[in-house]
Amino acid sequence: MLDPQARQFLDLMAAQGVPPAHTLTAPQARQAYLQRRALSQPEPTAVAATHDHTLMHGGVSVAVREYRPMGSQAQETLPALLYFHGGGWTVGNIETHDVVCRALCNASDCAVFSVDYRLGPEAPFPAAYDDAMASFAWAVANAASLHIDPARIAVGGDSAGGNIAAAVSLGLRGQAAHPDFQLLIYPAVTMRPDTPSYHANGQGYMLTQDAMRWYTANYLSQDQHADDWRASPLLAPSHAGLPAALVLTAGFDPLRDEGRLYADALSKAGVDTQYVCFERQIHGFVTMGKLIREAHTALALCGHVMKRHWAGV
């Protein structure tokens, strides 16, 4: 059964006449996504402090917003989460995921750094991956001034952001500085989806097959890029030696099965992996806490798992 609160949100979207993303231009879709926050997102929770940063790499400027959890001290060294927002590599920004990052910050007692990576089609693959890799290097290099522990930096994200986090974990595998944990919320891990959930949930539950094809086309300028593990982490030759992971999926999401397959691939490779499916939810639900109570449950769970990981329990 679909969560009645998720159904309420879908009905509200229909009543408001919100156009499908794939019928808009990328700039129009970004504006619509930003405006839609009022329908579904709760008021932002207070955190101890926020700071806006700018990192530079190869002539590219990337904005990063830092959040410090309630109860923390300004000079206290904390674990950290680099967070990559969802939005099909095309829409979304720091503002659209401000509520999520605040909730994760307080729930995990860690500093959160929300990365405003470049978007397609203006900046196609691998721009988002390159920005994410640069953000990790920036966090490590500036750990002392940022008051974070460079040995306890997690990467995470939802949907396209989960894709990026998984790819960064693969890209930094075996390096001296590498992620300590990966938080993958309904991640897109293959650019060639052909799973039962892709076909069963590809219409009528927020994220559609048409939208997925549009997002993918905006991100990948060449079809062969779909076979690159930086775009399709599920296709990596090996998943051994990766950081511990929490993979969270939604039952009425076309991405459900690929998320589970990725959790299975990690587990088969010996990676400490936890998998949780919110069976009655739709894609994107963690940002919808104004209408969907399980959004708060999911974010609290994510924070709890990260906190226990860093506590070594």
Side-chain angles (χ1 to χ4, degrees):
M1 176 181 175
L2 182 66
D3 181 356
Q5 293 180 331
R7 169 51 62 194
Q8 178 187 6
F9 171 74
L10 294 173
D11 291 345
L12 181 61
M13 290 275 287
Q16 293 282 335
V18 177
H22 69 276
T23 66
L24 305 173
T25 66
Q28 288 172 338
R30 289 171 196 145
Q31 187 61 28
Y33 187 54
L34 188 62
Q35 292 175 339
R36 202 168 70 217
R37 291 180 302 163
L39 293 176
S40 59
Q41 293 193 12
E43 290 298 314
T45 57
V47 294
T50 64
H51 303 280
D52 286 340
H53 305 273
T54 301
L55 70 90
M56 299 292 298
H57 72 98
V60 174
S61 173
V62 179
V64 179
R65 180 169 296 167
E66 174 187 1
Y67 302 83
R68 306 284 291 188
M70 290 296 287
S72 63
Q73 302 301 311
Q75 307 297 312
E76 182 180 356
T77 299
L78 298 173
L81 167 66
L82 291 182
Y83 195 83
F84 310 109
H85 66 79
W89 311 274
T90 305
V91 305
N93 57 28
I94 288 174
E95 301 302 335
T96 62
H97 283 66
D98 178 71
V99 167
V100 165
C101 288
R102 287 170 178 269
L104 288 172
C105 177
N106 285 334
S108 61
D109 286 336
C110 80
V112 173
F113 295 84
S114 181
V115 181
D116 204 15
Y117 58 87
R118 286 173 289 169
L119 301 174
E122 296 89 345
F125 173 85
Y129 171 83
D130 290 343
D131 291 352
M133 291 287 282
S135 72
F136 189 87
W138 170 82
V140 171
N142 294 281
S145 62
L146 294 171
H147 303 292
I148 60 174
D149 182 352
R152 294 188 295 163
I153 301 178
V155 293
D158 58 295
S159 194
N163 166 282
I164 294 167
V168 166
S169 296
L170 286 162
L172 292 171
R173 177 172 47 188
Q175 301 297 310
H178 56 269
D180 177 56
F181 188 85
Q182 47 184 331
L183 172 64
L184 310 179
I185 301 173
Y186 33 76
V189 291
T190 175
M191 293 293 184
R192 301 192 190 280
D194 186 21
T195 62
S197 67
Y198 173 76
H199 296 290
N201 299 329
Q203 297 294 332
Y205 301 110
M206 189 65 184
L207 180 62
T208 66
Q209 291 184 14
D210 288 336
M212 291 172 65
R213 285 189 286 266
W214 185 75
Y215 288 133
T216 301
N218 284 334
Y219 187 45
L220 304 183
S221 59
Q222 300 178 38
D223 180 68
Q224 61 264 35
H225 288 162
D227 300 317
D228 189 316
W229 59 260
R230 293 174 298 172
S232 296
L234 186 61
L235 301 183
S238 170
H239 295 91
L242 293 173
L246 169 64
V247 182
L248 186 153
T249 61
F252 285 85
D253 184 351
L255 303 186
R256 181 197 65 209
D257 291 347
E258 61 193 76
R260 179 183 53 79
L261 288 170
Y262 199 70
D264 288 349
L266 293 172
S267 293
K268 288 176 183 177
V271 176
D272 178 9
T273 304
Q274 298 181 61
Y275 173 76
V276 177
C277 180
F278 282 75
E279 293 288 355
R280 306 199 307 168
Q281 288 305 336
I282 58 174
H283 187 82
F285 80 96
V286 301
T287 64
M288 303 173 188
K290 185 175 181 178
L291 297 175
I292 300 176
R293 281 193 297 275
E294 282 191 345
H296 303 283
T297 305
L299 293 173
L301 173 64
C302 292
H304 176 72
V305 170
M306 286 190 290
K307 191 186 296 187
R308 286 180 60 86
H309 170 75
W310 284 316
V313 295

